[in-house]
Amino acid sequence: MASLSSCHMLWYLGLAAASGVVVTDYVDSPTGVMTEQSDGSGEFVEVTLAPLVRVADPSMVSRAEKLHASASSKCFIARSVNFPVRHNPTTEVSA
């Protein structure tokens, strides 16, 4: 989960900078669903990223929210796993 979260964050921050979105804070609290087999092995069947992004100005909120889809489609780790990686982002304006 940490690798998925980090990959998404790096793509997101790069896309934000290129789009003129000033991110002042980024924190993610990912969660995952795992199944366990009778032999003790297991695998993830779903991961949900929940980034909290703070931006510098209210005019940036809409652009900031849309960038998650692009970051998700570009993250090589998310593109490589065999389970869904969902997103539940929150965007706030810095005080």
Side-chain angles (χ1 to χ4, degrees):
M1 288 190 315
S3 295
L4 286 165
S5 177
S6 293
C7 186
H8 184 85
M9 178 187 71
L10 291 172
W11 270 107
Y12 182 86
L13 293 175
L15 292 167
S19 299
V21 174
V22 179
V23 176
T24 61
D25 194 27
Y26 185 109
V27 179
D28 193 6
S29 301
T31 57
V33 176
M34 250 180 81
T35 59
E36 188 173 325
Q37 306 302 321
S38 59
D39 65 358
S41 66
E43 62 269 344
F44 281 105
V45 295
E46 175 183 318
V47 168
T48 301
L49 304 179
L52 168 60
V53 178
R54 289 191 177 91
V55 297
D57 189 84
S59 66
M60 299 174 179
V61 170
S62 178
R63 278 183 291 158
E65 291 173 344
K66 292 176 184 172
L67 291 173
H68 288 286
S70 295
S72 176
S73 70
K74 294 184 180 296
C75 172
F76 67 93
I77 297 173
R79 294 170 53 95
S80 299
V81 298
N82 64 353
F83 53 83
V85 180
R86 304 186 195 294
H87 302 88
N88 187 21
T90 302
T91 307
E92 296 179 350
V93 179
S94 294

